[in-house]
Amino acid sequence: MLLSLLAVFAIIGLTSALHASEAGVVDWQKSLVGVPLTYTTSLSPAFHRVHDTVNTTRSVILTATGNNVLAALDPVDGSVAVAALSGPGGATLRIFDALTGQLLLENRLHAPSSGHLSEPIDLGTALSLQPTENTRPHIFVLTNGHSVRLIDGSTGDMKWGWTSADQTSKVIYTKLVATSSTVYLIGLSKSIQSNTLHITSLSASTGELIEDVDVPSNIAEGPADIIPLTSVSGAEPRLAWFDRGAIRSMLLTPDLKDKPASTKEARYRRVIDVNLGEERGIFVAIQHDGSARVFRIDEEGPGVKAIWEFADSADSGRYAPSIYSGGLDKEGNPYVSRVFWSHVLGKASVHVFAPHLADGKGLVSGFAFPFDTRTHGIINHVCVLCPHMNGVAVDNAHPGGFTVLTRLFVTTTTGAVQFWQRDVLEWTREESLASISAAEFVDLPEEQVVHSHNAESFVQRVVRHIIDAKDFPRYLAAFVNRFLTGSYETTSSVLPSAVNASGLLTRDTFGFRKVIVAATGFGKIYGLDSSTGDVLWSRILGLGWAAEVGAVIRPLKIYVTRTVADGDTPQVVVVTQRRAENTLVDTVLFHIDALTGEDARGASPSGEVLQGLDIISGPLVDMFFLPGEKKVVVLIDEFLGVHLYPDNDESQEAFTKVAKSLYLPLRAGVPGNRRLVGHQVHPNPELHDHYFASPIWTTDFPASEDVLSIIRPSHSQPVASLGKVLGNRTTLYKYLNPNLLAVVTASKTVSKCSIYVVDSVKGSILYHVSLPAPDGDCDVKANLVENWLVYTYYNGEGDRLGQTKGQTLVSVEFYEGNKPDDKTRSSDISSYSEKSTHITAYEQAFLLPHGITALSSTATKFGITTKDIIVAYQNNQIQSIPRRLLDPRRPKRKPTSEEMEEMLIQYDPLLPYEPRAVLSHNYQVANVQRVITSPALLESTSLVFAYGLDLFHTRVTPSGTFDVLSENFNKAQLVFTVGGLLAAIIITKPMVQRKKLRERWYQ
Amino acid sequence: MRPSWFLAVLCRTDTTKRSVYGELGPAKVILDNGKSYGGVKWDGTFSIPDVHPGTYILSVLAHNFTFDKLRVDVSDSDSLPEVRPYIPGTPLSPPSQVMLPYPILLAPRQRNNYFVPRQTFNLLGMFQNPMMLMMVAAGAMMLGAPYLLKSLDPEALEDFKARQAKYSGIQNSIQSGDFKAGLSALMPNDDRARSTGVSTSGSQSNQTPTKGKGKGRRR
């Protein structure tokens, strides 16, 4: 059985298998980690110094990102040193090696379901290390806001655990301070007016409760107002907090007897933890006028002392609000930096305060760096590292002058992370590409050679010819070379550079190079070169009127409104939904030139933020491309009004022409109770030239079922054959109803999902299947192309006899009529015809080796090439599954000769894991959310782009490269054979002649 | 709901502990569709906590290695989980009779090879092709036949020549479309057929040399 399967793959799987030399040439992969989390100090990016060998250290930038990734970036080139993907939910302690990413320890602290606190994600969680004689320290872990454990860092064993006696109490512990003898838990106790500080001290060795006090205090904001401070001298730690305008502090002793002291004046606005509290005892407080003071732990007086005030840091119209952060240098000296955007300079400025310089009086050095706010938005977070301190004598008057070499790690609102060495940009990573919400391939125009010599005299022409002739030797050499060595362009050759002499993007011979327009959830749109993955252009999507209140732009879909076939540069329309902070939702369109990223409407100047068109002041219900010649985007608002883009007479006319035959299946109702309702478009009697949709049918799904998603077939691909000729010379005609839709529903009462295939004109159900939904969540992925539906789900009902568990992929094909040779002309007949529901569905289920995160089918120019299914597996691989393996008519016994003629192979429930069908080969392509495909100019080739966390792009040839000489083609063998035959003829010719002559003489 | 723990060791025979991870890369061991899982640690061990009683399929998510799947039965009682081999695509129940030891010991079945070797030009391989062998043999026969004939007994040679002439005559007449002559040539002791054959071949041989010369000169 296994052998036969392997043989099957040997026959058909290898048509698209990869050669080692093609890896990295026909495909590319970009490792991304996601946009760093910046709203909390414990998770935001931080420099971390690791002892690599005995006397060298390496620093890495550690960051947790919005894509559930813990990453370590190399500051030298920004490459990903480590990326560990975390699973959902639960409190699990994991220890990683910061340089290699090896998982050193994994310890489940409590089950995902028993977690109490969810937002923000680090609430009620804290870690503290306790050095031991061992290489690995012990770890104090605070989880869930009320339990503490001491965990042995090398074995993962729990030394002791302590849980607050009354878990339902209003005390939530948020911070943890550990000394060698005592562990202090700092929590907030909620009362009616505000929060009061609650401190508990535990014995570090046994976990026994020592003391438990409520400190009379008034903390308005929450955990961010409390900063634990320790000094390097090993004295008792101190706690500072912000209390009604003043900064108060108290000494932490095991008996918690210290009386809180307060600064004299209550003139502060807030305190900022700059991550220097531990061991350095430094934090920043903002005064009422906005100026910032640096505080340090102090044994006398109120316990904290202002040691510095940043000059000119008060609120001002000349610069944007400052960001404060702290950093350490190689020797462990602390630095506090202030980064702000100066409106006057048009640059970002940094002031770095070094408390230990100038004989302990402190010194500030500052510089400005040219941060490009128009491409990267606003600086969101800064992480500072001062690796060296160059003792440079400035001049004689200041012999002790220092410059501080500052390195900055900047996170911006558009999701870019940048690394600056003083004012030099070392590298930029566009991490928002890890959260692409819509992407589309756009064809590139052909290279055009323009000859414009109409009025040319004879002499001019001769001169031009002579000038052109200088290229002739090169051409000749290239021609001879090509003729002799056979180095012609193949599907796997390296593409020439994208930009030609005139600076315009052009396509290559086979149309492999396209622009991938990708819109991200961080309000930025990118144009990527599909042959290399490089960013060709990027623009920020403007917020329009909502810029003042703040808003989030979520791209929904990208439509290619003008292609190169229309004779001009291609353009795209990005449909987005803008959710402003004041909860207003608008639908905004951006019309962009796909080659340059310029605004096609001309509303925003080059290089500036793109200005969108607020087409609907309200949310969007549905959108589609108008069928027919004109490329018009049709948008339906929540009141079922129809909006067209572009909104001109031509598109109105085109819409009026097809309005009568437009049937719109829309999702109606609130989430949890959504139904599929069919609509028809009518002219609005009150407003001329306006249309609205009105319901005409509702599907008769059970009332308990909620419509989760609607899967539309892609109409862009032509259908090459209308039927399939069987071995007995009968024909199965494909059911090619253009109004087919697949609908995934979830039932609220039983843990079942359903897939329906619906005719969207009258809402009749053509195919229905009910699937098990383990734990009630419907993780069904489906793809509908032509008459072929493929869906996949996890089948967890393996308990019954003869059943099994596993990721199941079902392949369904629809054919006209009840038997072969039945023909209903399904692609042309009216959906109201009674014959349109006469279909036969052939289906077969297959087991997959791993879980699937995304599913798609290949697309080619004319649809002649077979369509393979591209799947993204849970183990970070992307694989193609040949169509022949997924044929639902595979016989369950040995194939008869007729079936052999149809190239059918015996059914086997298992689709084997075949490494040579893995498109992503050695690349790890993690967490793929979607796979999109696009045809190349070559009929045999389809482009595949997968996105999610990592980006991956490759070319596939499902039926082999039948329209171009393959790389395997052996020109040497051909030449050798022909040469050999020639030699044989030359040698044998005189012999034959001699023989014949002799024959004539001696006959 | 009593949480069960199971602990297992994932080993590779030939390597030291640290390089287990280096070769395997980040890997995860999952039950069923990954709702419960455990990461493979630096020493190759893993543990999946909080597993509810039930029957699970254990699989390994590793990038470059393929592992076998196992059937794991976690029971309510204090007894250890039962581990059995499982072949994907076969019914889960009735369970296999073979029991595997606990803690689970997994070894990769294969290292994934994603590439197919490129076909290279191989002179030897080319001549090993049967068609090629036949061609070479035919060529050798053609060249070697006259010498073979010389060494033959004169009488047998005469006989052989006669036969050959006859057959070539048939061949020629069939080629020139004269089936009747070809057929009649098969009849014994027919002189006319023989002469026809010879004359046909003669007329052909008159033309070919000039053609051949022209070709030869050109090259």
Side-chain angles (χ1 to χ4, degrees):
Chain A
M1 172 84 79
L2 194 71
L3 264 179
S4 72
L5 278 173
L6 287 179
V8 164
F9 252 110
I11 299 161
I12 57 179
L14 292 188
T15 51
S16 59
L18 204 65
H19 301 294
S21 63
E22 290 171 1
V25 176
V26 302
D27 51 18
W28 53 263
Q29 177 249 21
K30 289 234 178 307
S31 284
L32 295 169
V33 296
V35 179
L37 297 172
T38 53
Y39 56 84
T40 144
T41 41
S42 62
L43 295 176
S44 49
F47 280 103
H48 179 70
R49 202 174 288 281
V50 191
H51 287 273
D52 199 1
T53 54
V54 179
N55 44 18
T56 61
T57 61
R58 259 181 78 186
S59 52
V60 288
I61 301 154
L62 293 181
T63 176
T65 74
N67 293 55
N68 263 342
V69 175
L70 180 71
L73 298 175
D74 191 336
V76 177
D77 54 358
S79 59
V80 183
V82 175
L85 198 64
S86 152
T92 309
L93 173 76
R94 294 195 184 89
I95 303 175
F96 294 97
D97 186 312
L99 289 182
T100 61
Q102 290 186 353
L103 180 63
L104 303 178
L105 188 72
E106 186 179 57
N107 211 334
R108 177 75 59 90
L109 301 176
H110 60 78
S113 52
S114 67
H116 294 313
L117 308 161
S118 53
E119 284 291 322
I121 50 173
D122 67 329
L123 182 65
T125 316
L127 289 175
S128 182
L129 303 182
Q130 189 191 42
T132 57
E133 312 81 68
N134 248 327
T135 45
R136 302 241 187 97
H138 289 174
I139 306 152
F140 294 103
V141 192
L142 166 70
T143 56
N144 239 350
H146 59 73
S147 44
V148 183
R149 290 178 177 85
L150 175 63
I151 286 172
D152 189 318
S154 40
T155 60
D157 296 337
M158 193 171 85
K159 296 267 186 205
W160 53 258
W162 177 87
T163 305
S164 71
D166 182 12
Q167 293 188 16
T168 56
S169 80
K170 295 188 190 83
V171 176
I172 294 170
Y173 294 105
T174 58
K175 304 218 170 192
L176 188 138
V177 182
T179 63
S180 54
S181 63
T182 323
V183 182
Y184 301 97
L185 298 178
I186 296 121
L188 288 174
S189 155
K190 240 189 170 70
S191 63
I192 301 154
Q193 284 134 359
S194 64
N195 302 315
T196 6
L197 203 58
H198 186 95
I199 306 175
T200 303
S201 58
L202 304 174
S203 157
S205 50
T206 60
E208 275 166 26
L209 182 74
I210 304 173
E211 192 57 65
D212 195 18
V213 294
D214 266 315
V215 181
S217 56
N218 185 337
I219 287 162
E221 285 294 318
D225 280 348
I226 312 165
I227 300 167
L229 305 170
T230 51
S231 59
V232 78
S233 55
E236 297 291 335
R238 210 165 238 293
L239 193 67
W241 69 93
F242 175 70
D243 193 344
R244 282 167 297 188
I247 293 162
R248 310 210 322 150
S249 78
M250 73 176 277
L251 203 62
L252 292 179
T253 50
D255 54 359
L256 299 173
K257 284 273 162 34
D258 189 43
K259 275 239 176 288
S262 173
T263 52
K264 277 180 215 123
E265 319 97 317
R267 55 174 196 178
Y268 296 98
R269 205 190 277 168
R270 63 195 177 102
V271 291
I272 298 171
D273 187 354
V274 291
N275 262 344
L276 291 172
E278 197 179 327
E279 293 196 356
R280 309 294 184 280
I282 288 174
F283 66 98
V284 173
I286 308 289
Q287 303 185 75
H288 270 307
D289 63 347
S291 56
R293 280 183 161 192
V294 180
F295 277 82
R296 182 154 58 185
I297 190 167
D298 188 31
E299 300 304 321
E300 293 149 23
V304 288
K305 192 173 93 182
I307 52 167
W308 189 264
E309 183 169 329
F310 277 105
D312 291 334
S313 58
D315 289 344
S316 158
R318 286 182 293 123
Y319 42 80
S322 310
I323 300 162
Y324 296 93
S325 55
L328 300 171
D329 68 7
K330 225 173 201 164
E331 284 77 40
N333 296 313
Y335 295 82
V336 180
S337 77
R338 165 181 175 235
V339 178
F340 58 94
W341 174 259
S342 166
H343 296 306
V344 181
L345 291 173
K347 281 182 171 184
S349 292
V350 189
H351 290 173
V352 180
F353 167 64
H356 61 282
L357 291 185
D359 306 325
K361 288 201 287 288
L363 190 89
V364 158
S365 69
F367 61 92
F369 61 99
F371 177 74
D372 187 359
T373 191
R374 289 185 304 191
T375 37
H376 297 300
I378 302 161
I379 297 176
N380 220 353
H381 181 267
V382 172
C383 162
V384 63
L385 176 78
C386 306
H388 316 288
M389 207 182 50
N390 292 351
V392 181
V394 180
D395 56 42
N396 288 338
H398 304 282
F402 286 102
T403 52
V404 178
L405 184 67
T406 313
R407 298 203 278 180
L408 299 170
F409 181 73
V410 176
T411 309
T412 74
T413 47
T414 59
V417 296
Q418 294 188 319
F419 189 72
W420 294 83
Q421 178 120 344
R422 248 186 111 81
D423 54 351
V424 181
L425 179 64
E426 297 279 311
W427 47 263
T428 302
R429 288 178 67 92
E430 299 285 359
E431 286 300 342
S432 62
L433 286 173
S435 40
I436 293 177
S437 17
E440 204 64 57
F441 279 99
V442 181
D443 288 345
L444 285 174
E446 212 172 343
E447 188 166 1
Q448 284 171 344
V449 183
V450 184
H451 289 294
S452 58
H453 22 77
N454 300 323
E456 200 179 31
S457 70
F458 174 73
V459 180
Q460 278 172 325
R461 194 161 78 229
V462 169
V463 168
R464 181 169 59 81
H465 281 230
I466 291 168
I467 291 170
D468 285 354
K470 75 176 191 301
D471 290 336
F472 180 71
R474 202 174 40 161
Y475 169 79
L476 193 72
F479 178 81
V480 169
N481 181 44
R482 199 182 59 168
F483 189 79
L484 291 181
T485 61
S487 64
Y488 41 84
E489 220 162 333
T490 63
T491 48
S492 58
S493 50
V494 185
L495 296 184
S497 114
V499 180
N500 65 359
S502 58
L504 263 175
L505 282 169
T506 50
R507 69 163 169 80
D508 57 306
T509 324
F510 300 133
F512 293 153
R513 176 179 292 117
K514 295 193 175 193
V515 173
I516 301 169
V517 178
T520 69
F522 286 83
K524 201 168 176 190
I525 183 157
Y526 295 87
L528 305 176
D529 183 343
S530 80
S531 56
T532 56
D534 296 339
V535 175
L536 298 169
W537 52 264
S538 66
R539 296 295 293 265
I540 298 178
L541 303 178
L543 298 178
W545 64 264
E548 285 159 31
V549 289
V552 178
I553 283 201
R554 195 165 61 91
L556 301 173
K557 196 152 174 58
I558 296 173
Y559 289 105
V560 182
T561 51
R562 194 166 81 187
T563 61
V564 282
D566 300 329
D568 212 335
T569 53
Q571 293 181 345
V572 293
V573 163
V574 187
V575 184
T576 66
Q577 206 150 42
R578 180 181 61 208
R579 189 176 294 275
E581 294 288 312
N582 54 12
T583 69
L584 284 180
V585 176
D586 290 304
T587 304
V588 187
L589 290 187
F590 295 90
H591 194 175
I592 303 169
D593 185 312
L595 297 187
T596 56
E598 296 299 325
D599 191 344
R601 298 190 303 128
S604 34
S606 165
E608 294 287 334
V609 169
L610 274 179
Q611 292 308 324
L613 171 72
D614 292 21
I615 191 156
I616 305 172
S617 11
L620 182 77
V621 174
D622 199 7
M623 58 191 156
F624 58 93
F625 237 171
L626 200 64
E629 287 290 296
K630 288 292 292 173
K631 290 197 161 117
V632 181
V633 181
V634 184
L635 305 159
I636 314 283
D637 65 22
E638 55 182 335
F639 305 109
L640 300 176
V642 175
H643 302 260
L644 302 181
Y645 184 85
D647 195 3
N648 52 25
D649 290 344
E650 274 177 53
S651 54
Q652 282 286 357
E653 199 183 314
F655 184 76
T656 317
K657 217 180 277 172
V658 293
K660 278 218 161 56
S661 57
L662 269 186
Y663 295 92
L664 315 173
L666 302 177
R667 234 173 4 161
V670 290
N673 199 15
R674 286 166 296 196
R675 328 254 320 128
L676 188 70
V677 182
H679 291 75
Q680 200 170 16
V681 188
H682 301 286
N684 194 329
E686 286 153 30
L687 283 163
H688 181 61
D689 272 0
H690 278 67
Y691 284 83
F692 72 100
S694 62
I696 50 171
W697 54 259
T698 314
T699 45
D700 46 354
F701 301 159
S704 61
E705 287 187 4
D706 177 31
V707 174
L708 291 181
S709 58
I710 300 174
I711 295 129
R712 292 164 202 272
S714 74
H715 288 302
S716 55
Q717 302 161 42
V719 179
S721 74
L722 295 174
K724 194 184 245 179
V725 180
L726 308 186
N728 57 8
R729 299 294 173 265
T730 55
T731 309
L732 278 174
Y733 289 96
K734 287 181 182 173
Y735 185 71
L736 295 169
N737 184 344
N739 303 309
L740 278 193
L741 276 185
V743 182
V744 179
T745 66
S747 174
K748 282 170 284 184
T749 46
V750 284
S751 59
K752 287 271 179 201
C753 303
S754 285
I755 283 198
Y756 297 89
V757 174
V758 177
D759 184 322
S760 64
V761 171
K762 55 179 181 177
S764 51
I765 297 169
L766 300 168
Y767 173 81
H768 167 227
V769 68
S770 180
L771 312 170
D775 311 327
D777 57 340
C778 265
D779 191 18
V780 178
K781 311 268 188 310
N783 184 68
L784 183 63
V785 61
E786 290 185 11
N787 64 331
W788 189 30
L789 172 74
V790 177
Y791 59 88
T792 176
Y793 64 99
Y794 185 78
N795 180 11
E797 293 182 340
D799 307 334
R800 276 171 288 158
L801 197 73
Q803 292 275 321
T804 186
K805 286 179 169 188
Q807 187 77 31
T808 310
L809 184 113
V810 183
S811 165
V812 191
E813 283 182 350
F814 304 107
Y815 290 101
E816 296 177 355
N818 303 320
K819 57 183 193 305
D821 275 346
D822 275 5
K823 196 171 175 185
T824 60
R825 301 189 159 274
S826 55
S827 53
D828 303 327
I829 56 164
S830 157
S831 285
Y832 291 110
S833 162
E834 167 253 352
K835 277 203 263 177
S836 73
T837 52
H838 287 185
I839 63 164
T840 313
Y842 293 88
E843 54 186 328
Q844 226 156 42
F846 302 92
L847 269 179
L848 292 171
H850 297 292
I852 275 184
T853 61
L855 173 83
S856 182
S857 67
T858 59
T860 54
K861 195 164 191 225
F862 301 108
I864 298 164
T865 308
T866 49
K867 290 180 171 58
D868 281 0
I869 290 290
I870 311 283
V871 294
Y873 279 132
Q874 269 179 346
N875 63 343
N876 301 348
Q877 291 181 334
I878 292 173
Q879 189 173 352
S880 70
I881 304 177
R883 165 79 182 240
R884 276 185 65 196
L885 286 183
L886 296 176
D887 196 320
R889 296 180 55 254
R890 279 173 69 177
K892 295 222 162 124
R893 54 195 149 65
K894 221 168 163 32
T896 61
S897 59
E898 280 182 359
E899 283 161 345
M900 300 253 260
E901 214 175 307
E902 283 183 63
M903 313 270 273
L904 289 175
I905 36 180
Q906 190 175 353
Y907 173 75
D908 185 82
L910 186 73
L911 286 179
Y913 176 74
E914 170 55 51
R916 281 172 298 177
V918 173
L919 303 174
S920 57
H921 53 94
N922 291 321
Y923 296 138
Q924 297 252 7
V925 189
N927 209 356
V928 174
Q929 295 301 311
R930 268 201 72 193
V931 175
I932 58 172
T933 56
S934 171
L937 277 184
L938 277 184
E939 167 56 26
S940 63
T941 312
S942 172
L943 309 179
V944 177
F945 178 57
Y947 60 89
L949 177 64
D950 295 336
L951 307 181
F952 174 72
H953 178 275
T954 191
R955 315 197 275 259
V956 291
T957 51
S959 305
T961 50
F962 58 79
D963 47 3
V964 68
L965 265 185
S966 84
E967 192 91 316
N968 278 345
F969 176 73
N970 203 332
K971 190 164 180 178
Q973 184 164 11
L974 184 73
V975 168
F976 190 83
T977 313
V978 171
L981 287 174
L982 200 75
I985 288 170
I986 290 168
I987 293 165
T988 50
K989 187 158 245 168
M991 292 166 66
V992 171
Q993 275 172 20
R994 252 200 322 275
K995 187 163 174 268
K996 279 188 175 162
L997 192 66
R998 217 176 321 160
E999 260 178 9
R1000 298 190 87 183
W1001 277 106
Y1002 296 104
Q1003 197 64 55
Chain B
M1 281 292 282
R2 203 189 63 82
S4 306
W5 290 68
F6 59 93
L7 200 106
V9 186
L10 182 131
C11 267
R12 282 177 53 71
T13 46
D14 52 342
T15 46
T16 60
K17 272 186 174 180
R18 202 154 250 284
S19 64
V20 169
Y21 192 93
E23 268 194 60
L24 189 66
K28 238 170 36 171
V29 181
I30 61 167
L31 293 182
D32 285 358
N33 54 348
K35 285 269 173 347
S36 349
Y37 67 91
V40 177
K41 283 183 276 191
W42 65 280
D43 55 357
T45 62
F46 67 90
S47 69
I48 305 175
D50 303 339
V51 180
H52 299 302
T55 303
Y56 299 93
I57 293 173
L58 179 140
S59 45
V60 182
L61 289 184
H63 193 271
N64 289 333
F65 291 91
T66 309
F67 288 85
D68 285 326
K69 296 193 176 190
L70 301 174
R71 175 199 158 114
V72 178
D73 287 285
V74 181
S75 55
D76 263 339
S77 58
D78 286 331
S79 62
L80 289 172
E82 295 171 356
V83 186
R84 294 182 176 89
Y86 171 69
I87 297 159
T90 57
L92 207 56
S93 51
S96 151
Q97 294 301 308
V98 186
M99 294 285 274
L100 295 176
Y102 182 89
I104 300 165
L105 201 79
L106 288 164
R109 196 149 51 92
Q110 64 177 57
R111 176 193 276 273
N112 294 340
N113 179 20
Y114 304 113
F115 305 110
V116 285
R118 190 179 284 287
Q119 282 175 11
T120 49
F121 179 61
N122 183 354
L123 202 65
L124 194 72
M126 189 171 132
F127 280 105
Q128 276 167 351
N129 189 323
M131 287 305 285
M132 216 51 196
L133 280 177
M134 273 163 69
M135 269 170 69
V136 170
M141 278 298 287
M142 196 179 70
L143 294 177
Y147 304 100
L148 208 72
L149 291 179
K150 255 178 218 162
S151 61
L152 272 177
D153 174 44
E155 236 170 76
L157 189 70
E158 202 61 32
D159 199 30
F160 176 79
K161 268 186 181 166
R163 221 171 28 220
Q164 204 187 14
K166 195 169 93 181
Y167 284 126
S168 71
I170 295 163
Q171 230 169 15
N172 281 329
S173 56
I174 285 173
Q175 266 174 8
S176 56
D178 188 3
F179 287 100
K180 202 176 160 213
L183 277 174
S184 59
L186 284 174
M187 303 298 156
N189 304 324
D190 194 341
D191 285 336
R192 198 174 58 88
R194 189 181 292 175
S195 62
T196 318
V198 171
S199 70
T200 319
S201 72
S203 68
Q204 270 185 354
S205 63
N206 273 342
Q207 289 161 3
T208 34
T210 47
K211 230 195 224 165
K213 258 179 202 161
K215 260 186 191 166
R217 229 176 270 142
R218 213 169 59 201
R219 271 160 217 228

